[in-house]
Amino acid sequence: KLQRAAKHIFWMSALDNGKAKLGAIISFENLPRDRNANLWTRIENDCHLTLNELSALQNAVCSPAKSMERIEAEVGALRAELETFRARSFIAQDERLYFFSKAMPESIGSNKNSIVSRTIQKDYHGRCLFCGEEMNVTKAHIVAGNNKVDYSPFSTPTYRDDLDVNSPRNFLPLCGNDGMDGTCHNEFDKFLMTLLYNPFEKVFKVYCLRKSFPKYNQCHLRVVNVSPTYPPYCRLLAWR
């Protein structure tokens, strides 16, 4: 997929450069639809097109089977995949990722009497902490509660208290769930979205790594209010 994305992005770049070189000599709409037309040789020489630029222009106007809208949509999707790959590549080799192994998301309505559900309902009003929406909000784990995992690196004596994976501090109310594209929970679980505390401004801010995320403009650098009683574990969020 990465090679395919790079190839399509290179093709789009050549196409854009070719269009720019056409200038006042001929408009893109008036280019010949026949790949073998003699006019192409004149266009290549007069516009000083490279072979890649010429090929991209010919493919764009001489291949009716694939409309430009379809090509641009496909390239847009591949750009998003490439962006996601780059955003995640820096953590791909870190063995400490086992701390953040996935856990099953829970509805905020499940286990209503639990301290976690009560805290989310009271302090977050059932809204997604990142985008503020109220639809399909679930409890996202910062770290999954796994009895086989040693969480001592995030406990005393390095920190002033021990890490409690069952504490409300280990949960964030986020819309959607893992695998549901376009939701904050999915982005968070894929390490493409997070929450960080800014000690200088003394605020919590949301950070998005993927500009193609539908809620990027809505969420990125958004200041949010966390639970005053059970603020999220900064030690986990900062490392994550």
Side-chain angles (χ1 to χ4, degrees):
K1 285 186 176 180
L2 184 61
Q3 291 177 339
R4 185 166 164 237
K7 179 180 178 181
H8 278 69
I9 292 172
F10 177 80
W11 181 87
M12 286 294 290
S13 177
L15 179 61
D16 291 339
N17 292 337
K19 286 182 178 180
K21 289 184 178 181
L22 293 178
I25 297 178
I26 186 172
S27 66
F28 178 76
E29 291 73 18
N30 291 328
L31 288 174
R33 272 21 185 193
D34 182 1
R35 188 183 295 268
N36 298 317
N38 293 331
L39 183 58
W40 278 112
T41 301
R42 180 181 172 185
I43 294 173
E44 178 184 6
N45 294 330
D46 292 351
C47 299
H48 305 288
L49 298 174
T50 66
L51 289 178
N52 288 326
E53 291 164 352
L54 176 65
S55 177
L57 288 170
Q58 289 178 327
N59 288 336
V61 299
C62 301
S63 302
K66 222 175 191 183
S67 66
M68 281 302 299
E69 292 78 8
R70 180 182 171 188
I71 292 174
E72 289 176 354
E74 184 175 343
V75 170
L78 289 169
R79 281 182 190 272
E81 286 190 26
L82 181 59
E83 185 179 334
T84 299
F85 174 84
R86 286 172 173 168
R88 297 183 65 187
S89 61
F90 74 100
I91 61 170
Q93 302 300 321
D94 199 314
E95 62 182 10
R96 292 176 297 176
L97 282 181
Y98 70 86
F99 278 112
F100 301 95
S101 59
K102 296 175 183 176
M104 290 298 293
E106 300 176 61
S107 165
I108 61 173
S110 65
N111 232 350
K112 291 183 178 180
N113 294 324
S114 73
I115 189 172
V116 176
S117 293
R118 291 200 305 270
T119 299
I120 289 178
Q121 290 288 2
K122 177 183 177 182
D123 295 343
Y124 297 104
H125 308 289
R127 293 178 178 271
C128 174
L129 180 61
F130 289 173
C131 69
E133 295 183 2
E134 298 181 72
M135 298 295 293
N136 193 25
V137 177
T138 55
K139 295 179 287 191
H141 299 71
I142 301 178
V143 294
N146 189 334
N147 295 329
K148 297 181 180 179
V149 173
D150 176 18
Y151 293 105
S152 59
F154 295 111
S155 299
T156 55
T158 306
Y159 297 91
R160 64 183 180 182
D161 58 358
D162 290 331
L163 176 69
D164 179 6
V165 295
N166 296 313
S167 168
R169 299 183 64 189
N170 186 39
F171 295 85
L172 300 176
L174 300 178
C175 62
N177 53 56
D178 180 59
M180 185 180 293
D181 290 338
T183 65
C184 296
H185 197 145
N186 184 59
E187 292 291 294
F188 182 74
D189 278 357
K190 286 179 169 50
F191 302 97
L192 298 174
M193 197 174 190
T194 194
L195 181 71
L196 292 176
Y197 179 71
N198 187 319
F200 301 103
E201 300 179 19
K202 296 183 178 180
V203 295
F204 279 89
K205 284 186 178 181
V206 178
Y207 292 86
C208 300
L209 295 180
R210 188 166 65 96
K211 289 186 178 181
S212 56
F213 177 52
K215 298 182 181 180
Y216 179 86
N217 293 329
Q218 180 182 352
C219 297
H220 187 53
L221 299 181
R222 181 172 182 254
V223 176
V224 298
N225 296 318
V226 301
S227 169
T229 311
Y230 298 99
Y233 279 118
C234 290
R235 72 192 72 166
L236 299 178
L237 293 171
W239 182 86
R240 181 186 180 103

